[in-house]
Amino acid sequence: ELQWLMVGFTPAGVVMLLPPVFNRVFALAYRVIRRRTIDNAALPGFRTIGSGTALHVVGAMLAGLSMFLVARSLDPTLGAHDLLYLIAAMNLASAVSMIAVFAPSGIGVRETILVLLLGAVMSAELALLTAVVLRVWSIIADFAFLGVAATVRGIARQAGRP
């Protein structure tokens, strides 16, 4: 089942975050992209990777929780037992959509993956509706942050700061 497959990938993700593994993969990618080696002093250690991972996990949990709440509002049969799967589904869909450079903001990619993954715990129709509601909500949030940034910038300009 999809839920167990996603659980199976968790140990691989944890291993990838160990500095010896992470730094080796990062150095190889850097060498391929930049065609030169990276100085070992620039590679992160356990503390940097650990704190970055902790911050990402908090953000990922909040993003997944928000999707769970949207999905639960549309399908009340979802329960607490679905929470971790939905958090993982949201974050997997978001990660893959970032890699899809052909789609601006991953539009369509994230929704397709969400519909496929959500289909394991809810009807296809509700999965599609959940994905669309989440996309509309993210667009509204983007415009809200744009408004806040524009306001802060305007205040800074009036105060004589660039």
Side-chain angles (χ1 to χ4, degrees):
E1 214 174 286
L2 286 176
Q3 294 168 329
W4 290 111
L5 182 63
M6 290 176 70
V7 168
F9 280 109
T10 302
V14 170
V15 168
M16 286 296 296
L17 290 173
L18 296 173
V21 177
F22 179 87
N23 289 339
R24 192 168 281 138
V25 171
F26 184 80
L28 174 65
Y30 188 85
R31 203 169 34 251
V32 168
I33 294 169
R34 296 285 179 130
R35 301 200 190 320
R36 61 181 181 211
T37 59
I38 189 168
D39 183 17
N40 283 339
L43 295 173
F46 280 98
R47 184 173 181 192
T48 302
I49 291 175
S51 59
T53 299
L55 289 171
H56 178 76
V57 166
V58 169
M61 297 294 270
L62 290 173
L65 179 62
S66 70
M67 191 205 44
F68 172 77
L69 295 173
V70 168
R72 175 90 193 250
S73 71
L74 298 171
D75 184 357
T77 65
L78 292 174
H81 61 280
D82 297 311
L83 179 61
L84 286 179
Y85 175 74
L86 292 176
I87 289 171
M90 178 64 178
N91 286 284
L92 176 62
S94 294
V96 172
S97 73
M98 285 183 232
I99 296 169
V101 295
F102 58 87
S105 296
I107 194 159
V109 176
R110 184 179 77 177
E111 289 74 23
T112 300
I113 294 168
L114 274 177
V115 169
L116 292 173
L117 294 175
L118 292 175
V121 294
M122 62 192 337
S123 72
E125 294 82 7
L126 287 176
L128 177 61
L129 182 59
T130 300
V132 170
V133 167
L134 287 169
R135 176 55 73 177
V136 169
W137 182 246
S138 75
I139 291 169
I140 291 169
D142 285 345
F143 278 111
F145 280 114
L146 175 65
V148 169
T151 302
V152 169
R153 186 175 183 190
I155 292 169
R157 280 189 174 165
Q158 286 179 350
R161 287 177 262 157

